């Protein structure tokens, strides 16, 4: 029978093992690069599933040495890194491991063979186009299914939105907006970096009917001086 003291010690051991495995996995994923975090190729999806399975066993069963979980995970991460290097060096190897993009629509025509090969129905294709903001199939010049499963869409020239250059207008580069207030909290360092002060900030808030930063959900300023203001609800 497990005593209360024994149960407490067991939970502490499980917690420590879980934290160690978590740190090892995070460190490995970080070493693989940011691309793998945001986009999963087939080989990377398999890697994620295997790591999750390997990590769960030593987390739950304290009778299994922790190294029995860590070593296979490190081996998998090393293998993934080697494969990543090989895919950079050899396009053929990359095509073999990651696959190649497929043209689902080519020059305005739906390619039925590619739909069947990728096991995608017309309804699914139309759904993906709607997600991209395209509701009229006749406006699509190319639709490419990328190797990570995302759909890239190129519209016909006549259906592309006019750019500022095409319209003869001078476009102003506003740069990356800087957050000055986030969820009611003033980011003083960002305010100083923009050469602004509390007096300026107070005037901007008063002009928008806010008595204090606590009433502001988000306030940003871009390099051209443009402000984005969003008040908190209620």
């Amino acid at each position: 029978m497990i005593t209360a003291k024994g149960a407490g010690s067991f939970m502490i051991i499980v917690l420590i093992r879980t934290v160690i495995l978590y740190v090892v996995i995070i460190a490995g994923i970080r070493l693989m690069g940011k691309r793998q975090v945001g986009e999963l190729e087939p080989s990377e999806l398999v890697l994620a599933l295997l790591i999750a399975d390997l990590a769960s066993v030593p987390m739950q069963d304290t009778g299994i040495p922790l190294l029995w979980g860590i070593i296979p995970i490190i081996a998998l991460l090393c293998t993934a890194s080697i494969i990543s290097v090989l895919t950079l060096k050899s396009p053929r190897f990359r095509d073999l491991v990651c696959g190649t993009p497929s043209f689902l629509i080519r020059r305005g025509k739906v390619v039925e063979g590619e739909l069947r090969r990728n096991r995608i129905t017309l309804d699914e294709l139309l759904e993906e186009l709607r997600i991209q903001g395209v509701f009229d199939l006749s406006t699509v010049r190319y639709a490419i299914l990328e190797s990570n499963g995302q759909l890239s869409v190129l519209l016909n020239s006549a259906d592309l939105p006019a750019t500022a250059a095409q319209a003869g207008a001078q476009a102003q580069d506003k740069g990356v907006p800087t957050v000055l207030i986030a969820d009611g909290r003033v980011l003083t360092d960002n305010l100083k970096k923009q050469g602004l002060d509390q007096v300026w900030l107070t005037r901007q808030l008063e002009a928008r009917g806010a008595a204090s930063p606590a009433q502001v959900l988000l306030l940003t300023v871009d390099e051209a001086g443009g402000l984005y203001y969003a008040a908190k609800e209620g």
Side-chain angles (χ1 to χ4, degrees), residues 86-100:
L86 291 175
T87 56
L88 290 174
K89 299 292 184 180
S90 173
R92 289 187 179 180
F93 185 78
R94 173 176 171 79
D95 293 344
L96 178 64
V97 174
C98 303
T100 56

Side-chain angles (χ1 to χ4, degrees), residues 1-131:
M1 183 176 180
I2 300 177
T3 63
K5 183 178 180 180
S9 299
F10 177 79
M11 291 301 297
I12 292 174
I13 292 173
V14 171
L15 177 61
I16 293 173
R17 291 163 68 94
T18 301
V19 171
I20 292 174
L21 286 167
Y22 178 77
V23 170
V24 170
I25 294 172
I26 290 297
I29 296 297
R30 290 281 294 171
L31 288 173
M32 290 171 61
K34 290 186 177 180
R35 188 185 67 81
Q36 279 79 2
V37 177
E39 305 170 2
L40 288 179
E41 301 284 358
S43 60
E44 296 158 359
L45 177 60
V46 172
L47 173 67
L49 294 174
L50 287 175
I51 288 178
D53 188 53
L54 287 170
S56 65
V57 176
M59 280 184 190
Q60 299 171 8
D61 190 348
T62 56
I64 298 176
L66 189 58
L67 283 176
W68 288 16
I70 293 179
I71 291 176
I73 290 174
I74 293 176
L76 279 173
L77 292 173
C78 291
T79 303
S81 298
I82 293 172
I83 291 176
S84 180
V85 172
L86 291 175
T87 56
L88 290 174
K89 299 292 184 180
S90 173
R92 289 187 179 180
F93 185 78
R94 173 176 171 79
D95 293 344
L96 178 64
V97 174
C98 303
T100 56
S102 299
F103 283 83
L104 303 184
I105 299 178
R106 187 191 296 269
R107 297 188 182 90
K109 181 180 179 181
V110 176
V111 184
E112 297 182 30
E114 289 298 308
L115 288 178
R116 287 195 297 269
R117 189 172 70 85
N118 290 280
R119 293 181 292 280
I120 296 177
T121 66
L122 279 173
D123 289 338
E124 290 171 336
L125 174 61
L126 293 174
E127 179 182 351
E128 287 297 325
L129 290 173
R130 289 195 296 271
I131 292 174

Side-chain angles (χ1 to χ4, degrees), residues 1 8 20 42 47 64 78 80 84 91 138 146 153 162 185 189 212 227 234:
M1 183 176 180
I20 292 174
L47 173 67
I64 298 176
C78 291
S84 180
S138 65
E146 306 293 354
V153 179
R185 183 170 61 92
D189 289 343
S212 69
L227 292 178

